[in-house]
Amino acid sequence: MIRCMEQLFDYVNQHSEEYIQRLREAVALDSVSADPCKRSRCVDMAHYICEWIERLEGKALVKHIGKQKFADGQVLDYPPVIFGDFCVDPHRPVVLAYCHYDVQPADIQDGWKFNPFELTEEQGKLYGRGATDDKGPLLDWLWAIEAHRQLGIPLPVNLVLCFEGMEESGSFGLDKVIEEESKGLLSRVKYVCITDNYWLTEHRPCLTYGLRGIVFFQVHIRGPQMDLHSGLFGGLIHEPLNDLIHLLHTLTDSQGNILIPKVMDSVAPVTKEEESIYERILFDTEQLRKEAGQVSQLRESDKVKVLMNRWRFPSLSFHGIQGAFSGQGEKTVIPCAVTGKFSIRLVPHQQPQEIAHHVEQFLKQQFDQFHSGNELQVEWRGASPWLGDYHNSNFTAARLAFKKVYQVEPDLTREGGSIPITNTFQEYLGGEICLIPLGSPDDGAHSQNEKMNKHNYIEGIKVIIAYMDELAKQISYQY
Amino acid sequence: MIRCMEQLFDYVNQHSEEYIQRLREAVALDSVSADPCKRSRCVDMAHYICEWIERLEGKALVKHIGKQKFADGQVLDYPPVIFGDFCVDPHRPVVLAYCHYDVQPADIQDGWKFNPFELTEEQGKLYGRGATDDKGPLLDWLWAIEAHRQLGIPLPVNLVLCFEGMEESGSFGLDKVIEEESKGLLSRVKYVCITDNYWLTEHRPCLTYGLRGIVFFQVHIRGPQMDLHSGLFGGLIHEPLNDLIHLLHTLTDSQGNILIPKVMDSVAPVTKEEESIYERILFDTEQLRKEAGQVSQLRESDKVKVLMNRWRFPSLSFHGIQGAFSGQGEKTVIPCAVTGKFSIRLVPHQQPQEIAHHVEQFLKQQFDQFHSGNELQVEWRGASPWLGDYHNSNFTAARLAFKKVYQVEPDLTREGGSIPITNTFQEYLGGEICLIPLGSPDDGAHSQNEKMNKHNYIEGIKVIIAYMDELAKQISYQY
Ligand SMILES: [Zn+2]
Ligand SMILES: [Zn+2]
Ligand SMILES: [Zn+2]
Ligand SMILES: [Zn+2]
């Protein structure tokens, strides 16, 4: 087995120019899912991948989602979900690898150094839209299989690739496809590996075992049937925006701490083990302060507190108000109906339904005390937090893989945001999910000058090779 | 003198068809000051008035204001201020009559029953843009003079007409013209009569002796240099919008009462005389509730309290927030810089400078307690409240004029909004200012289907004739 690893790694080292050339082809297929004019490019990209899967002797399965109606009236097929079936042994569990082949919009006018759809190498960096999000990691999976094929080494695990084409547009249709296939192609999936996030620091790899959930609230307050002039009605009516400001302010204190009763009760207590994980993590809070656009101060400056605030404690952010005057200058209008928007980031063991209930109840209690005669309506939508077990086989395999390739123990990290596909896989497939980031935090996904480091791209192939190898060992230990 | 009045009133009664025909011509000159495409129509309207003034043997003086640069890059002359000088006796004081000849935009598509620029009579109502705001009242002045000329009766007072063409666009340039002429044509003005507002009820005329002032505040709070993602930064930074909500809520209680220290101290106490004025006023609070778009309840239901809240007590209205998310749906952004907008309506003896000082000081005190590290900046702009003396000669003349024409004592009213030209005249000319509304509250100025009642339009001429006559008597009593 060790012999095989060496051969595979050598093969990877010898083919870096080909790897870059093929990433250039993939980036040139400008598969922007949000743009109806580029929908045919998404389809081209899907074909490009399917042909590749078939060249690698996998079975390509194209799952169509249906038709999308755009704001301009166009009706077009959604980009399909592509599966690449590389299973050989029906008696062993299946590993599912997730990536997406669609990309964010990009225009050289927005301040790109190079044409965003023409991959450009400069000082070890591969610039191009989708280079790191998520075409580089997607190709890493294909290259890992290709290396096995070229060397005549069988894949050590039953592998199914799942490549989505609507991730940057809300992953529309994915959950339906996963649900359907949970009884078919995906029925034996036990391990899920998502390669679509980033290291915490450029200097050390990490594995991601947790994500915050979210409940997004829209608090509607309705009063008069039309906007009124404050000269005529100021002082005469209960203004909906006065209600709203008094309502919103009860949710937090001036420091941003959440004051809603019961909401903090279900937050899991911090364990000693967790503390030691956080203490080990390589992270520069001063750099974070700069990334936040030179904010004069963070709420906490200590590394562990900063990271815990981001990852494992809930937070409430106000986003804005709809229906009120939001333009420049002055306008002396009393808005007749306003909607306050805020969200709470959730952590274990908070569940959206439960938190929404507490918030709604509290808002109603407060509002009733105003006796304003206006109408309150609370709307919410939520996603659960996710927490993986970093002691399980999947994480162990990923950890050992990074150690083999980078000679360093990866940090164990979480994310402050949510990655909805994680919940989708957890819900429909169960099993062990692991997020293996391959890109660097400075890659600029979604920004101008997105890039993937050549080093991350090439070593990523080795990480995947080693991961499959280690996971195979973990699986055989169990049988 | 009584003989003259009868002759004049008879003349008016006999010419109503001509009056309506000429208003039709004036409405057809669609002098929308806000629309660069209609700027030439404002100029046409100005010529139309000047020619009329000269036909009446007045001296027409056209004061040009300069050039206006529109958003689309066009540079056009502002519509001029027109003076009509009908002074004959240099030893007696001058009466200044103010109206405006520009109108609000209007489009039949917006839901007009008739073409807004084609005057249409239906059931005693004259529909058309500008019919009541302010071309009807403007023509009333010209007809009042014309009746004197036709009957060979000299005007009883030295009269100067002041007709503005930018009122609906912020009265740009008027104050400069008034300041200049305060040492020339207007140096002997002692009485100012503004005919550009409305009766409080359709059933009884009124005279307006007070206006609320206003201070409009923009509270800027700046944090990070760019908007941030709440998944990444929620819980880590002091969010400017959290600061703003906590700041705004300290300004009022949940009932809308102002809590800012010292702001209420300078409000003049209510006198017994005032109370009796308010009690007499014809006003239907239930109808007000309906006009406010069926609000479920007013803060107060008693007529006197409602009117005092509108006219003689300050009020604070929140208008909205700039810089935060204001669209539909969800967006999990932490805005980096937000501006809260609110205004306080002022009453005697509150002055903008003084109130702004109290508000600014209070906001800064509160904000300092947050220690958020964000930046606070408070911007304001204000206009003083105005209060006339309804016992003076000008009001007495106007009161007697209404009594003569309508056989009823007019109510004494104030307005909740501000009419900035009143302050302009008070500041530069001093003297006695009286607001004589000729239109009805249901005229729909600024709305679709603006109209002036034929009755109000025709009787308005008589009111002006009687007002000049009564004012002449008042003046001669003094000499
Ligand atoms: Zn992605
Ligand atoms: Zn992305
Ligand atoms: Zn007007
Ligand atoms: Zn107007």
Side-chain angles (χ1 to χ4, degrees), chain B residues 98-100 102 104 132-135 167-168 195-198 419 421 445-446:
Chain B
Y98 169 91
C99 295
H100 60 90
D102 64 321
Q104 284 278 325
T132 194
D133 183 19
D134 190 29
K135 288 179 173 172
E167 199 274 345
E168 301 294 6
T195 42
D196 185 28
N197 68 324
Y198 306 91
I419 300 182
I421 44 160
H446 296 208

mmCIF file of all heavy atoms in Angstrom, chain B residues 98-100 102 104 132-135 167-168 195-198 419 421 445-446, ligand 3:
data_model
loop_
_atom_site.group_PDB
_atom_site.id
_atom_site.type_symbol
_atom_site.label_atom_id
_atom_site.label_comp_id
_atom_site.label_asym_id
_atom_site.label_seq_id
_atom_site.Cartn_x
_atom_site.Cartn_y
_atom_site.Cartn_z
ATOM 1 N N TYR B 98 -48.836 86.538 -1.979
ATOM 2 C CA TYR B 98 -47.983 85.463 -2.501
ATOM 3 C C TYR B 98 -48.818 84.296 -3.031
ATOM 4 O O TYR B 98 -49.745 83.824 -2.357
ATOM 5 C CB TYR B 98 -47.041 84.930 -1.415
ATOM 6 C CG TYR B 98 -46.351 83.639 -1.849
ATOM 7 C CD1 TYR B 98 -45.118 83.673 -2.490
ATOM 8 C CD2 TYR B 98 -46.956 82.396 -1.632
ATOM 9 C CE1 TYR B 98 -44.497 82.500 -2.926
ATOM 10 C CE2 TYR B 98 -46.354 81.225 -2.057
ATOM 11 C CZ TYR B 98 -45.128 81.287 -2.703
ATOM 12 O OH TYR B 98 -44.523 80.121 -3.121
ATOM 13 N N CYS B 99 -48.474 83.827 -4.258
ATOM 14 C CA CYS B 99 -48.979 82.558 -4.805
ATOM 15 C C CYS B 99 -47.848 81.936 -5.609
ATOM 16 O O CYS B 99 -46.804 82.562 -5.802
ATOM 17 C CB CYS B 99 -50.160 82.791 -5.749
ATOM 18 S SG CYS B 99 -51.629 83.459 -4.954
ATOM 19 N N HIS B 100 -48.042 80.694 -6.083
ATOM 20 C CA HIS B 100 -47.035 80.142 -7.003
ATOM 21 C C HIS B 100 -47.724 79.642 -8.271
ATOM 22 O O HIS B 100 -48.861 79.178 -8.238
ATOM 23 C CB HIS B 100 -46.191 79.044 -6.344
ATOM 24 C CG HIS B 100 -46.952 77.849 -5.850
ATOM 25 N ND1 HIS B 100 -47.178 76.746 -6.639
ATOM 26 C CD2 HIS B 100 -47.531 77.584 -4.651
ATOM 27 C CE1 HIS B 100 -47.856 75.846 -5.930
ATOM 28 N NE2 HIS B 100 -48.096 76.325 -4.717
ATOM 29 N N ASP B 102 -46.148 77.425 -10.454
ATOM 30 C CA ASP B 102 -45.705 76.087 -10.872
ATOM 31 C C ASP B 102 -46.591 75.043 -10.201
ATOM 32 O O ASP B 102 -47.308 75.334 -9.232
ATOM 33 C CB ASP B 102 -44.233 75.841 -10.528
ATOM 34 C CG ASP B 102 -43.962 75.838 -9.039
ATOM 35 O OD1 ASP B 102 -44.567 76.657 -8.311
ATOM 36 O OD2 ASP B 102 -43.152 75.015 -8.574
ATOM 37 N N GLN B 104 -47.281 70.542 -9.365
ATOM 38 C CA GLN B 104 -46.746 69.193 -9.201
ATOM 39 C C GLN B 104 -46.849 68.438 -10.524
ATOM 40 O O GLN B 104 -47.714 68.744 -11.336
ATOM 41 C CB GLN B 104 -47.584 68.442 -8.147
ATOM 42 C CG GLN B 104 -47.300 68.858 -6.725
ATOM 43 C CD GLN B 104 -46.072 68.177 -6.170
ATOM 44 O OE1 GLN B 104 -45.778 67.022 -6.485
ATOM 45 N NE2 GLN B 104 -45.327 68.898 -5.353
ATOM 46 N N THR B 132 -56.250 73.966 -7.681
ATOM 47 C CA THR B 132 -56.309 74.525 -6.313
ATOM 48 C C THR B 132 -54.931 74.887 -5.777
ATOM 49 O O THR B 132 -54.819 75.679 -4.853
ATOM 50 C CB THR B 132 -57.027 73.531 -5.375
ATOM 51 O OG1 THR B 132 -57.372 74.200 -4.162
ATOM 52 C CG2 THR B 132 -56.144 72.320 -5.052
ATOM 53 N N ASP B 133 -53.873 74.272 -6.358
ATOM 54 C CA ASP B 133 -52.493 74.451 -5.855
ATOM 55 C C ASP B 133 -51.598 74.856 -6.989
ATOM 56 O O ASP B 133 -50.932 74.030 -7.587
ATOM 57 C CB ASP B 133 -52.010 73.154 -5.196
ATOM 58 C CG ASP B 133 -50.622 73.296 -4.590
ATOM 59 O OD1 ASP B 133 -50.193 74.447 -4.353
ATOM 60 O OD2 ASP B 133 -49.973 72.270 -4.367
ATOM 61 N N ASP B 134 -51.537 76.065 -7.370
ATOM 62 C CA ASP B 134 -52.042 77.219 -6.646
ATOM 63 C C ASP B 134 -52.572 78.201 -7.674
ATOM 64 O O ASP B 134 -52.617 79.388 -7.443
ATOM 65 C CB ASP B 134 -50.875 77.768 -5.814
ATOM 66 C CG ASP B 134 -51.250 78.835 -4.800
ATOM 67 O OD1 ASP B 134 -52.383 78.813 -4.317
ATOM 68 O OD2 ASP B 134 -50.408 79.703 -4.527
ATOM 69 N N LYS B 135 -53.000 77.648 -8.872
ATOM 70 C CA LYS B 135 -53.406 78.538 -9.962
ATOM 71 C C LYS B 135 -54.765 79.181 -9.722
ATOM 72 O O LYS B 135 -54.965 80.352 -10.067
ATOM 73 C CB LYS B 135 -53.377 77.778 -11.296
ATOM 74 C CG LYS B 135 -51.944 77.513 -11.760
ATOM 75 C CD LYS B 135 -51.862 76.739 -13.064
ATOM 76 C CE LYS B 135 -50.413 76.669 -13.528
ATOM 77 N NZ LYS B 135 -50.237 75.774 -14.705
ATOM 78 N N GLU B 167 -42.054 76.786 -6.352
ATOM 79 C CA GLU B 167 -42.521 76.398 -5.022
ATOM 80 C C GLU B 167 -42.530 74.888 -4.847
ATOM 81 O O GLU B 167 -42.131 74.366 -3.813
ATOM 82 C CB GLU B 167 -43.923 76.971 -4.763
ATOM 83 C CG GLU B 167 -44.300 77.016 -3.280
ATOM 84 C CD GLU B 167 -44.902 75.723 -2.746
ATOM 85 O OE1 GLU B 167 -45.313 74.842 -3.542
ATOM 86 O OE2 GLU B 167 -44.952 75.576 -1.511
ATOM 87 N N GLU B 168 -42.981 74.176 -5.877
ATOM 88 C CA GLU B 168 -43.080 72.715 -5.766
ATOM 89 C C GLU B 168 -41.702 72.050 -5.859
ATOM 90 O O GLU B 168 -41.593 70.824 -5.766
ATOM 91 C CB GLU B 168 -44.009 72.160 -6.853
ATOM 92 C CG GLU B 168 -45.436 72.704 -6.817
ATOM 93 C CD GLU B 168 -46.228 72.304 -5.577
ATOM 94 O OE1 GLU B 168 -45.654 71.689 -4.658
ATOM 95 O OE2 GLU B 168 -47.422 72.633 -5.523
ATOM 96 N N THR B 195 -51.700 82.909 -0.055
ATOM 97 C CA THR B 195 -52.881 82.084 -0.381
ATOM 98 C C THR B 195 -52.394 80.794 -1.038
ATOM 99 O O THR B 195 -52.355 80.688 -2.267
ATOM 100 C CB THR B 195 -53.863 82.835 -1.306
ATOM 101 O OG1 THR B 195 -53.128 83.521 -2.304
ATOM 102 C CG2 THR B 195 -54.705 83.825 -0.535
ATOM 103 N N ASP B 196 -51.999 79.851 -0.211
ATOM 104 C CA ASP B 196 -51.484 78.567 -0.712
ATOM 105 C C ASP B 196 -51.709 77.453 0.312
ATOM 106 O O ASP B 196 -50.894 76.544 0.432
ATOM 107 C CB ASP B 196 -49.990 78.708 -1.054
ATOM 108 C CG ASP B 196 -49.410 77.464 -1.692
ATOM 109 O OD1 ASP B 196 -50.162 76.719 -2.343
ATOM 110 O OD2 ASP B 196 -48.193 77.242 -1.537
ATOM 111 N N ASN B 197 -52.778 77.524 1.087
ATOM 112 C CA ASN B 197 -53.090 76.340 1.914
ATOM 113 C C ASN B 197 -54.603 76.117 1.905
ATOM 114 O O ASN B 197 -55.302 76.656 1.037
ATOM 115 C CB ASN B 197 -52.469 76.426 3.313
ATOM 116 C CG ASN B 197 -53.067 77.491 4.197
ATOM 117 O OD1 ASN B 197 -53.437 78.565 3.738
ATOM 118 N ND2 ASN B 197 -53.166 77.189 5.486
ATOM 119 N N TYR B 198 -55.103 75.297 2.837
ATOM 120 C CA TYR B 198 -56.482 74.775 2.704
ATOM 121 C C TYR B 198 -57.276 74.920 3.990
ATOM 122 O O TYR B 198 -56.713 74.972 5.075
ATOM 123 C CB TYR B 198 -56.444 73.310 2.243
ATOM 124 C CG TYR B 198 -55.624 73.223 0.987
ATOM 125 C CD1 TYR B 198 -54.251 72.982 1.051
ATOM 126 C CD2 TYR B 198 -56.202 73.503 -0.241
ATOM 127 C CE1 TYR B 198 -53.482 72.999 -0.100
ATOM 128 C CE2 TYR B 198 -55.441 73.529 -1.392
ATOM 129 C CZ TYR B 198 -54.069 73.280 -1.315
ATOM 130 O OH TYR B 198 -53.314 73.329 -2.445
ATOM 131 N N ILE B 419 -44.388 75.845 6.138
ATOM 132 C CA ILE B 419 -44.490 76.468 4.817
ATOM 133 C C ILE B 419 -43.330 77.451 4.786
ATOM 134 O O ILE B 419 -43.430 78.573 5.300
ATOM 135 C CB ILE B 419 -45.867 77.168 4.633
ATOM 136 C CG1 ILE B 419 -47.005 76.136 4.788
ATOM 137 C CG2 ILE B 419 -45.940 77.865 3.287
ATOM 138 C CD1 ILE B 419 -48.403 76.694 4.588
ATOM 139 N N ILE B 421 -41.829 79.503 2.901
ATOM 140 C CA ILE B 421 -41.910 80.904 2.446
ATOM 141 C C ILE B 421 -42.378 81.833 3.557
ATOM 142 O O ILE B 421 -42.007 83.003 3.585
ATOM 143 C CB ILE B 421 -42.853 81.054 1.241
ATOM 144 C CG1 ILE B 421 -44.130 80.243 1.477
ATOM 145 C CG2 ILE B 421 -42.176 80.624 -0.053
ATOM 146 C CD1 ILE B 421 -45.288 80.684 0.635
ATOM 147 N N ALA B 445 -54.597 68.427 -3.463
ATOM 148 C CA ALA B 445 -53.345 69.011 -3.942
ATOM 149 C C ALA B 445 -52.275 67.932 -3.909
ATOM 150 O O ALA B 445 -52.214 67.133 -2.975
ATOM 151 C CB ALA B 445 -52.942 70.172 -3.040
ATOM 152 N N HIS B 446 -51.449 67.866 -4.919
ATOM 153 C CA HIS B 446 -50.347 66.890 -5.038
ATOM 154 C C HIS B 446 -50.829 65.479 -5.361
ATOM 155 O O HIS B 446 -50.014 64.594 -5.565
ATOM 156 C CB HIS B 446 -49.465 66.839 -3.778
ATOM 157 C CG HIS B 446 -48.741 68.108 -3.511
ATOM 158 N ND1 HIS B 446 -47.535 68.152 -2.838
ATOM 159 C CD2 HIS B 446 -49.022 69.402 -3.829
ATOM 160 C CE1 HIS B 446 -47.133 69.413 -2.741
ATOM 161 N NE2 HIS B 446 -48.021 70.187 -3.325
HETATM 162 ZN ZN ZN C 3 -48.893 75.232 -3.092
#
